[in-house]
Amino acid sequence: MSSVKGRTMVITGGAGNVGLAIIRMALERGMNVAFLSGWHSKAQAAIEKLDPKYRDQLCGYAQDPQFMPEKNLEDAPALYTRETTQRDVMGWIAERFGGIDVMLNGSGDHKWASFDTIDPPFWRNAMQQLETAFFSTQYAMPYLEKSPAPRVINLTTADGRGGGYRLHPAYAACRGGMVSLTHELARELGPRGVTVNCVLTGHIEEDVPDMDRLSDEMRSRMVEMTPLGRLGVPGDVAGVVNFLMTDEASFINGAVIDVNGGMITCG
């Protein structure tokens, strides 16, 4: 497999176990990684979870400094001002590492609500991942276009293909939007040399919030529904994402790759 040493990945939502598995694999292969998180100290906390020997290959910033300006000013007053923008942050990353090669859009809220309880504020919050993915990609584009192997990778869940094992219309709509956005951006950015692909994960046992912990009965049922006879682990996702960053993946564009052991539907 070709080398990705020296290339730079920007990742949103990388503080969970799947994100950390992706990052550890990238760091081991010599890549630089920039965390973007809700606020500055949260990004720094994610960096602390990684081996200190990689510290020179890492940086972390607030994804949108305008989201929590007072918090960011408190965390890093020498870095942020009330006028600091997302575009500024992308520029800092490119300056630090000499460019941006991969935009990995992985952030997303995860709060369950039924059809009858969803209100407009909840719906808008559920759509956050979709908005984040679009604008992060837009702001990274000036640097991606200069890369020898530019990649956009959208990471979301299998709910985007046919709903989830729990009914949640807002969550499923956002994830379905990520799939459609992938197809659309693949057509628009492909002529500019940038590939855009999507990875849909099944149930990853080591990367779920407490509210999604499976009962023994549900776990047994999901294992029975999975042809490979097990549920996913973070390394399953990391391997696919890291392959998409290589030169060997240069002709894969607009693909939606399921990482779910063959459990294509949840019905």
Side-chain angles (χ1 to χ4, degrees):
M1 190 176 294
S2 61
S3 174
V4 292
K5 185 176 181 179
R7 294 179 186 172
T8 297
M9 173 178 70
V10 179
I11 181 170
T12 65
N17 287 337
V18 165
L20 290 172
I22 293 168
I23 291 164
R24 287 188 178 103
M25 192 175 291
L27 292 171
E28 288 168 3
R29 298 174 66 198
M31 292 187 73
N32 306 308
V33 177
F35 279 93
L36 294 184
S37 199
W39 55 90
H40 185 80
S41 59
K42 186 177 180 181
Q44 297 303 309
I47 290 174
E48 292 299 320
K49 298 178 182 180
L50 298 163
D51 194 319
K53 71 180 181 181
Y54 296 119
R55 204 52 52 88
D56 290 343
Q57 295 167 239
L58 289 162
C59 66
Y61 301 107
Q63 179 176 304
D64 179 5
Q66 297 296 316
F67 174 61
M68 298 182 70
E70 298 301 327
K71 175 63 173 169
N72 293 318
L73 282 169
E74 178 184 341
D75 288 345
L79 186 62
Y80 300 96
T81 71
R82 287 180 174 79
E83 286 72 45
T84 305
T85 68
Q86 287 179 273
R87 292 184 190 275
D88 294 327
V89 170
M90 288 295 181
W92 296 345
I93 296 167
E95 182 177 2
R96 166 75 182 269
F97 294 126
I100 296 173
D101 303 282
V102 179
M103 184 65 239
L104 175 55
N105 297 304
S107 65
D109 203 357
H110 198 136
K111 296 177 181 177
W112 294 105
S114 67
F115 174 83
D116 293 315
T117 61
I118 293 172
D119 59 15
F122 187 98
W123 180 272
R124 288 190 290 270
N125 185 67
M127 295 298 135
Q128 187 72 38
Q129 185 188 27
L130 196 53
E131 180 177 327
T132 295
F134 177 82
F135 286 105
S136 294
T137 301
Q138 186 186 75
Y139 299 148
M141 271 303 293
Y143 310 103
L144 290 170
E145 288 185 288
K146 298 176 183 178
S147 168
R151 307 280 187 263
V152 175
I153 302 171
N154 295 325
L155 177 64
T156 190
T157 66
D159 305 62
R161 186 179 291 280
Y165 67 90
R166 288 185 180 179
L167 299 178
H168 188 341
Y171 191 70
C174 174
R175 275 50 184 171
M178 288 287 282
V179 172
S180 294
L181 180 65
T182 297
H183 293 317
E184 189 74 11
L185 292 183
R187 293 190 299 172
E188 184 163 354
L189 304 186
R192 297 160 71 175
V194 181
T195 67
V196 185
N197 295 291
C198 185
V199 176
L200 294 183
T201 67
H203 189 86
I204 307 300
E205 289 196 279
E206 300 170 22
D207 196 62
V208 294
D210 289 340
M211 70 183 75
D212 273 352
R213 302 288 177 191
L214 299 177
S215 66
D216 291 343
E217 181 181 358
M218 176 61 80
R219 186 185 184 283
S220 296
R221 180 169 176 265
M222 291 185 73
V223 169
E224 289 175 1
M225 294 168 60
T226 305
L228 290 184
R230 69 172 176 87
L231 301 182
V233 295
D236 295 326
V237 183
V240 173
V241 171
N242 274 271
F243 169 71
L244 289 173
M245 294 190 286
T246 66
D247 291 342
E248 285 83 354
S250 63
F251 202 58
I252 301 175
N253 189 35
V256 179
I257 302 173
D258 292 281
V259 184
N260 59 19
M263 192 178 76
I264 303 302
T265 63
C266 297

